[in-house]
Amino acid sequence: MKRLLFLNLGPYFVPTEIPVSEYYQWLSKEFEGDVFAVVHRKEFRSFTLGNFKLTGVYLPRWVRGYSLLRDIIYAVFVCTRGPIRHFFRKKYDVVICKEPLVTGVLALLLGKLCSIRSIVEVNGNFESAFLANSQSASVVERLKSGYATTVIPRVLGHADGVKLVYPPQLNGLLIAIAQDRLFAFPNFVPISRFSPSDEDKRYVLF
């Protein structure tokens, strides 16, 4: 059975939410592994999700409110705990992250350190980061934009796989990625939880 490591920065991870728990239960049919995530409750520091074990980095609200501090603490945790689990417990086959800016960098780093494949998910539209107006943007906004425009192409370009929500998601960005490393499909939705309504009303779906 392939062993996966998921990196999920947050703002925080709630393993008891139905979409989350059912997602890992579904994956447990074919895979096993770990989830490293920031959590907001102490009881989530160790939690079982099917064949996956959540190891939560508990951070109080005031720490989570400072994204840079949160990111540094999480990065230190991942870069120490990940190799220890890989080399001294059971080796991972793939590391998967939910975004390219922070966990994407960590996934590539772990991939190099542990000689495992990395998959980066792109769940948002980062085109705005490439379109910052340097005349009206603040210094912080320009720094963030500069970081994004530097990091995103490199992370996506070096990842072994890039998962998109829809095929044209990267069309607005000048990023060259081999087509055999691009995969586009919708995110997991537990549709079994949806049932037909007893009322017949007209709705407008946006």
Coordinates of all heavy atoms in Angstrom, one line a residue, residues 8 16 22 25-26 51 65 74-75 92 109 111-112 115 149 154 158 185 187 191:
N8 N -0.8 20.4 5.2 CA -2.0 21.2 5.2 C -1.8 22.3 6.3 O -1.9 22.1 7.5 CB -3.2 20.4 5.5 CG -4.5 21.1 5.1 OD1 -4.6 22.3 5.3 ND2 -5.4 20.4 4.4
T16 N -12.7 16.6 12.1 CA -14.1 16.1 12.3 C -15.1 16.6 11.3 O -16.3 16.2 11.3 CB -14.6 16.5 13.7 OG1 -14.4 17.9 13.9 CG2 -13.8 15.8 14.8
E22 N -14.4 12.1 5.4 CA -14.8 11.2 4.4 C -13.8 11.2 3.3 O -13.6 10.1 2.6 CB -16.2 11.6 3.8 CG -17.3 11.4 4.8 CD -18.7 11.2 4.1 OE1 -18.7 11.3 2.8 OE2 -19.7 11.0 4.8
Q25 N -11.2 8.8 4.6 CA -11.7 7.5 4.6 C -11.8 6.9 3.2 O -11.5 5.7 3.0 CB -13.2 7.5 5.2 CG -13.2 7.9 6.7 CD -12.7 6.7 7.6 OE1 -12.5 5.6 7.2 NE2 -12.5 7.1 8.9
W26 N -12.1 7.7 2.3 CA -12.1 7.3 0.9 C -10.7 6.9 0.4 O -10.5 5.9 -0.2 CB -12.7 8.4 0.0 CG -12.8 8.0 -1.5 CD1 -13.6 7.1 -2.1 CD2 -11.9 8.6 -2.5 NE1 -13.3 7.1 -3.4 CE2 -12.3 8.0 -3.7 CE3 -11.0 9.6 -2.5 CZ2 -11.7 8.4 -4.9 CZ3 -10.4 10.0 -3.7 CH2 -10.7 9.4 -4.9
N51 N -6.8 5.2 7.5 CA -5.4 4.7 7.5 C -4.5 5.9 7.6 O -3.2 5.7 7.5 CB -5.1 4.0 6.2 CG -5.8 2.6 6.1 OD1 -6.2 2.0 7.1 ND2 -6.0 2.1 4.9
G65 N -2.7 34.2 14.1 CA -3.0 35.5 13.5 C -1.8 36.2 12.8 O -2.0 37.1 12.0
Y74 N 5.4 26.1 11.6 CA 5.0 24.9 10.8 C 6.1 24.3 10.0 O 6.3 23.1 9.9 CB 3.8 25.3 9.9 CG 3.3 24.1 9.1 CD1 2.4 23.1 9.7 CD2 3.5 24.0 7.7 CE1 1.9 22.1 8.9 CE2 3.1 23.0 7.0 CZ 2.3 22.0 7.6 OH 1.8 21.0 6.8
A75 N 6.9 25.2 9.4 CA 8.0 24.8 8.5 C 9.0 24.0 9.3 O 9.6 23.0 8.9 CB 8.6 25.9 7.8
Y92 N 7.8 7.3 3.1 CA 6.7 7.8 2.3 C 7.0 7.6 0.8 O 8.2 7.5 0.4 CB 6.5 9.3 2.5 CG 6.2 9.7 4.0 CD1 7.1 10.4 4.8 CD2 5.0 9.3 4.5 CE1 6.8 10.7 6.1 CE2 4.6 9.7 5.8 CZ 5.5 10.4 6.6 OH 5.2 10.7 7.9
L109 N 11.2 20.5 -0.7 CA 12.4 20.3 0.2 C 12.4 18.9 0.7 O 13.4 18.2 0.7 CB 12.3 21.3 1.3 CG 13.5 21.3 2.3 CD1 14.8 21.5 1.6 CD2 13.3 22.3 3.4
G111 N 10.9 16.4 -0.6 CA 11.1 15.5 -1.8 C 12.6 15.3 -2.0 O 13.0 14.2 -2.3
K112 N 13.4 16.4 -1.9 CA 14.8 16.3 -2.1 C 15.5 15.5 -1.0 O 16.4 14.7 -1.2 CB 15.4 17.7 -2.3 CG 14.9 18.4 -3.5 CD 15.4 17.8 -4.8 CE 14.9 18.6 -6.0 NZ 15.3 17.9 -7.3
S115 N 14.1 11.8 -1.1 CA 14.0 11.2 -2.4 C 12.6 10.6 -2.6 O 12.5 9.4 -3.0 CB 15.1 10.1 -2.4 OG 16.4 10.6 -2.3
T149 N 5.4 35.7 -7.4 CA 5.8 35.6 -8.8 C 7.2 34.8 -8.9 O 7.5 34.3 -10.0 CB 5.9 36.9 -9.4 OG1 6.8 37.8 -8.7 CG2 4.6 37.6 -9.5
R154 N 8.6 28.4 -9.9 CA 9.7 27.4 -9.5 C 9.1 26.2 -8.8 O 9.5 25.1 -9.1 CB 10.7 28.1 -8.6 CG 11.6 29.1 -9.4 CD 12.4 30.0 -8.5 NE 13.4 30.7 -9.3 CZ 13.1 31.8 -10.0 NH1 11.8 32.2 -10.1 NH2 14.0 32.5 -10.7
H158 N 9.1 22.5 -10.7 CA 9.9 21.4 -10.2 C 9.2 20.2 -9.6 O 9.7 19.2 -9.3 CB 10.9 21.9 -9.2 CG 12.1 22.7 -9.8 ND1 11.9 24.1 -10.1 CD2 13.3 22.4 -10.2 CE1 13.1 24.5 -10.6 NE2 13.9 23.5 -10.7
F185 N -8.9 17.9 -12.1 CA -10.1 17.3 -11.7 C -10.7 18.0 -10.5 O -9.9 18.6 -9.7 CB -10.0 15.8 -11.5 CG -8.9 15.4 -10.5 CD1 -9.2 15.3 -9.1 CD2 -7.6 15.1 -10.9 CE1 -8.2 14.9 -8.2 CE2 -6.6 14.8 -10.0 CZ -6.9 14.7 -8.7
N187 N -12.2 18.9 -6.8 CA -11.9 18.5 -5.5 C -13.0 17.5 -5.0 O -14.1 17.6 -5.4 CB -11.8 19.7 -4.5 CG -10.5 20.5 -4.8 OD1 -9.5 19.9 -5.3 ND2 -10.5 21.7 -4.5
I191 N -20.9 13.6 -2.1 CA -22.2 13.8 -2.6 C -23.2 12.8 -2.0 O -24.4 13.1 -2.1 CB -22.2 13.6 -4.2 CG1 -21.7 12.2 -4.6 CG2 -21.4 14.7 -4.8 CD1 -21.8 12.0 -6.0

